[in-house]
Each structure stands twice: as structure tokens, then as C-alpha cells.
Amino acid sequence: MIRRVITLVAGLAAMPALAAEGFRFASIDGGEIDLDEWRGKPVLVVNTASLCGYAGQFDALQALHERFGDRALILAVPSDDFNQELADEAAVKEYCTLTFDLTLPMTEITHVKGKDAHPFYAWLRDKTGFVPGWNFNKVLIAPDGSIAGTFGAPVKPEGPQIAGRIEAMLE
């Protein structure tokens, strides 16, 4: 048991820090979302898809955005890598605004896996082996830039694994 705990602690200590310089996403509203501007704050990056069965999680992501305000970044990254996103950014923006009253930051439709993956996701894959296996996979970056966790679609944003960790990071 002690050996497992030591291995777990060593593994967590070895998690790579986020080299946020250069990780910019094209915003669905125009301009850029620069992760470097959020240095020192928690960042939750979620690959999303409007037509996915997990799209109900948009409500929870919006609630986190409202709850944490400018103390944490909740970033939706629409992707059609799993063939469940609308045809273009205008359709995504309209759907998410009308259906979920979404105001949280969103990127343009972005690749999250494969050879065309956004540099953030390519870096994440290269450093940790994590590649989104479906829509609504989540990556939590701690204020110190370390990767606090990666989560699959079933993990609810409002639960203790994500919202609870963000709250603890802000204390």
C-alpha cells in the first residue's frame, strides 16, 4: 500500500507544467483566447460538440463560468472530430446561445486529436498521452500551470472532481 502511495505521489510530481506561451485559440467571437493571460488561475478546457448526447453539460459549464467569473477560465472548444458538431461557427454560436444561454468563452471549431490537433492538444498528447476519446473530455490546469487532471465525458463539470478542485485552487 505504501509503495502505491509513493508511486502515485511521484507520478503526480512528474506531471508536466503547462507551457502556456503560444497556446492561443481563435475565438468564436473573433480575436484570440490566450491561455497565458490566465496564468495563476485555474483553467478548464473542454472539447465540445453541439449535437452530442453530453451537450447538456453546457449548462454546468455556464454555471461554472458564472460562479467563478474572472477567477478561472472555463473554455469550450467546439470540435467536429467525432462528427457531432454543426457546420460552422455561426451555427455553433447561435445554437449554444439559444439553447443554453451560453456566454462562456468559446473557440472556433478546432481539431483536438490527430495530425491536425490544435497545438494545446498536441502538447497535451505528447506530454501526458491524453487524447480526447469523445466530446466533453475535460482538462484542468492548476494555477501553477500543472495539469491537475484529465477527465472523460461522463465526469460532470459541477462535481467534486472538477468544480470542487477549482474551488480548492481558489482558496
Side-chain angles (χ1 to χ4, degrees):
M1 177 67 168
I2 292 174
R3 183 179 300 185
R4 275 194 242 160
V5 171
I6 291 171
T7 302
L8 175 63
V9 170
L12 290 174
M15 290 296 281
L18 175 65
E21 302 89 13
F23 290 138
R24 295 183 170 109
F25 289 86
S27 173
I28 202 164
D29 296 317
E32 287 186 331
I33 300 165
D34 186 349
L35 295 189
D36 198 35
E37 293 177 9
W38 292 89
R39 204 177 276 255
K41 298 178 182 182
V43 173
L44 179 66
V45 181
V46 184
N47 67 297
T48 63
S50 302
L51 304 177
C52 180
Y54 288 102
Q57 289 186 15
F58 276 126
D59 287 327
L61 295 172
Q62 179 65 30
L64 291 181
H65 172 68
E66 293 171 7
R67 175 177 168 188
F68 297 124
D70 64 357
R71 300 180 303 146
L73 172 63
I74 310 301
L75 179 62
V77 181
S79 178
D80 195 34
D81 285 355
F82 303 102
N83 303 310
Q84 293 190 317
E85 190 51 272
L86 298 170
D88 58 44
E89 284 81 12
V92 171
K93 179 73 175 176
E94 179 180 20
Y95 177 80
C96 288
T97 300
L98 295 176
T99 307
F100 301 103
D101 199 24
L102 222 60
T103 61
L104 60 85
M106 294 181 77
T107 71
E108 291 181 348
I109 297 171
T110 303
H111 289 288
V112 299
K113 65 178 193 149
K115 66 177 179 56
D116 295 325
H118 183 277
F120 172 81
Y121 284 98
W123 170 84
L124 186 66
R125 177 196 63 225
D126 293 347
K127 294 294 181 187
T128 69
F130 180 79
V131 175
W134 193 244
N135 303 305
F136 289 88
N137 279 210
K138 299 144 194 95
V139 180
L140 181 59
I141 307 297
D144 68 359
S146 64
I147 299 168
T150 57
F151 310 92
V155 177
K156 297 180 179 181
E158 70 275 22
Q161 290 179 291
I162 297 176
R165 285 189 184 180
I166 293 171
E167 191 66 51
M169 291 175 193
L170 294 172
E171 293 176 352

